[in-house]
Amino acid sequence: QKVYHLHIDTANMRINGVQQLAVHYEYQDERGRSHTGKETFPPEEADRWKAGDRVTIRYDLRRPNRSLWVGKA
């Protein structure tokens, strides 16, 4: 899936004292409808992603608004 970042912001989570970041993204389902999702990453990983990067997103075919960011395509 081609993913378009909507934005990156602070997540309501710390791991080992490190503030995590939420990556908000947009993707299209098999019918071409747009959906949004969010994944939480440590700062050094969140900063690697850019708008338009190709990544693997898995989503529920019956509920395509439910998604999971898998990683690089």
Side-chain angles (χ1 to χ4, degrees):
Q1 296 287 341
K2 192 166 192 175
V3 168
Y4 303 93
H5 286 285
L6 301 180
H7 64 280
I8 297 175
D9 63 12
T10 305
N12 293 327
M13 179 190 308
R14 288 182 179 270
I15 297 178
N16 296 326
V18 177
Q19 182 68 54
Q20 303 298 292
L21 298 178
V23 177
H24 300 263
Y25 57 90
E26 180 179 344
Y27 61 97
Q28 290 186 341
D29 65 23
E30 62 183 10
R31 293 182 178 160
R33 293 178 295 185
S34 292
H35 301 277
T36 59
K38 176 179 78 169
E39 286 294 332
T40 304
F41 294 104
E44 63 275 5
E45 190 169 343
D47 291 340
R48 293 186 335 190
W49 304 105
K50 306 282 184 274
D53 282 351
R54 278 204 159 308
V55 301
T56 301
I57 300 291
R58 303 268 186 226
Y59 61 88
D60 184 331
L61 293 175
R62 286 178 270 153
R63 289 182 240 147
N65 61 320
R66 296 181 68 185
S67 64
L68 174 67
W69 178 296
V70 177
K72 271 214 184 276

